Amino acid sequence: MKFAFFFPGQGSQSVGMMQGFGDLAIIKDTFVEASDILGVDFWRMATEPNEVLNQTSNTQPLMLAAGIATWRAWQAQGGALPTVLAGHSLGEYSALVAANIISYETALPLVRFRAEVMQRAVAEGVGAMAAVLGLDDDTVRAACAEAAQGEVLEAVNLNSPGQVVIAGHKAAVERGIEAAKSKGAKRALLLPVSVPSHCALMKPAADELAQYLKDLNFNAGQVPVLHNADVTSHHDAEEIKNALVRQLYSPVRWVETVQAVHASGVTASAECGPGKVLAGLVKRTVAELPCIALVNQDALAEAQAQFNQ
């Protein structure tokens, strides 16, 4: 069977997000490994109420650990290799680790650096993001063009038909919300984030990321990964690095990614990491492509029964 794995990004984290795996040793071990590398107690962060879970510099490595812990649990229990991998925004890094293109040890400090340069690129309160529901992509882009008024305002997360996230300067985003409503949006609301991801305001962060990536070793990999920036799988290390740099200031083309996976002959998929956000987006994008959210051991067993054929 041809199946895909999708890795979630920032926003799917929550305290207790790995409790569905009980005392499966490989889950905690993967978090402890991250803690040893970065000097932060990620297991405690994932399991006990705390105030640092949603800080970007913690959330990005935490979500990488969660995705790779789930992936390792899948492998340890005899799960087959997917036909293709993809990740939503930060989740692309989990996909690259799963494909053996980047090592886990390399990816952890990389995503923390990514988080830090994203946070530095735009001062607190300058940027914003908003979700727009009920409009097609072109109408959202038109609303952004009308509301920008010389500031940055872009459609940045093309998540599913009728669900688009916009980002840019805060005042422009607020004008974009009103423009979207005037064009018939069912809802348009600010998101509780401090970084306006995937828009032109992230270009300074992208420049810093490009310098960091220069010295990293990337491998050929064993499973193709579709990149957010161009919905293409790259095999050359420099092309992969370039795709990661462009991802910071380019839209996450998730609808096209799911459609491309389905068009390639893939007939099933799984969300590899906490939460069920991507499973919902997949269902709304291609209803004929079932997606199992691997949130506990029962879901792992269900997916293995389906996929290991």
Side-chain angles (χ1 to χ4, degrees):
M1 169 182 274
K2 295 179 73 173
F3 67 96
F5 263 36
F6 298 124
F7 291 85
Q10 203 165 339
S12 290
Q13 72 277 2
S14 64
V15 173
M17 60 187 178
M18 307 307 291
Q19 65 186 11
F21 295 96
D23 57 358
L24 202 61
I26 200 160
I27 297 290
K28 185 175 181 180
D29 289 349
T30 302
F31 277 80
V32 170
E33 188 179 344
S35 300
D36 290 344
I37 290 170
L38 295 182
V40 177
D41 191 342
F42 288 109
W43 185 247
R44 184 175 180 180
M45 196 183 299
T47 55
E48 298 178 14
N50 60 85
E51 297 178 354
V52 296
L53 176 77
N54 294 320
Q55 292 176 3
T56 298
S57 59
N58 289 325
T59 307
Q60 296 204 15
L62 179 79
M63 282 299 297
L64 177 73
I68 297 309
T70 308
W71 169 253
R72 288 177 173 178
W74 168 261
Q75 290 186 304
Q77 297 190 7
L81 273 182
T83 309
V84 64
L85 303 168
H88 190 285
S89 189
L90 170 70
E92 190 168 298
Y93 289 79
S94 302
L96 291 169
V97 173
N100 284 335
I101 292 171
I102 313 176
S103 71
Y104 186 48
E105 298 79 7
T106 297
L108 284 161
L110 169 58
V111 298
R112 183 162 71 177
F113 179 82
R114 176 182 183 268
E116 289 168 349
V117 296
M118 289 173 72
Q119 197 75 64
R120 276 203 304 269
V122 180
E124 189 82 28
V126 171
M129 301 181 79
V132 178
L133 306 180
L135 295 180
D136 63 63
D137 296 354
D138 287 341
T139 304
V140 175
R141 292 188 185 102
C144 288
E146 287 177 20
Q149 298 180 15
E151 293 187 305
V152 171
L153 181 61
E154 301 167 13
V156 297
N157 289 0
L158 309 172
N159 285 333
S160 68
Q163 186 189 127
V164 179
V165 174
I166 61 176
H169 287 105
K170 187 174 183 181
V173 171
E174 289 170 345
R175 292 192 298 269
I177 287 173
E178 296 310 311
K181 288 178 178 177
S182 74
K183 292 181 181 296
K186 292 178 182 175
R187 292 185 73 195
L189 64 161
L190 283 171
L191 296 175
V193 297
S194 58
V195 175
S197 304
H198 304 294
C199 73
L201 294 177
M202 287 293 108
K203 284 196 173 175
D207 292 340
E208 290 194 69
L209 183 65
Q211 288 299 315
Y212 186 101
L213 287 168
K214 276 185 177 178
D215 298 326
L216 298 189
N217 180 49
F218 281 30
N219 307 310
Q222 60 183 147
V223 183
V225 175
L226 289 182
H227 294 277
N228 290 179
D230 55 16
V231 198
T232 301
S233 173
H234 298 289
H235 304 289
D236 178 77
E238 294 310 310
E239 290 180 350
I240 294 170
K241 291 176 182 181
N242 182 259
L244 292 177
V245 171
R246 286 185 290 130
Q247 188 218 58
L248 273 189
Y249 60 84
S250 301
V252 174
R253 295 162 59 181
W254 195 249
V255 169
E256 291 174 82
T257 298
V258 174
Q259 290 171 339
V261 165
H262 185 243
S264 73
V266 165
T267 56
S269 63
E271 179 172 2
C272 189
K276 300 180 179 181
V277 171
L278 298 186
L281 297 182
V282 170
K283 183 177 181 179
R284 288 195 289 274
T285 302
V286 180
E288 315 84 72
L289 181 62
C291 187
I292 299 172
L294 303 180
V295 293
N296 53 41
Q297 294 199 59
D298 288 344
L300 279 180
E302 179 188 351
Q304 285 167 354
Q306 287 188 32
F307 300 169
N308 289 1
Q309 296 177 14

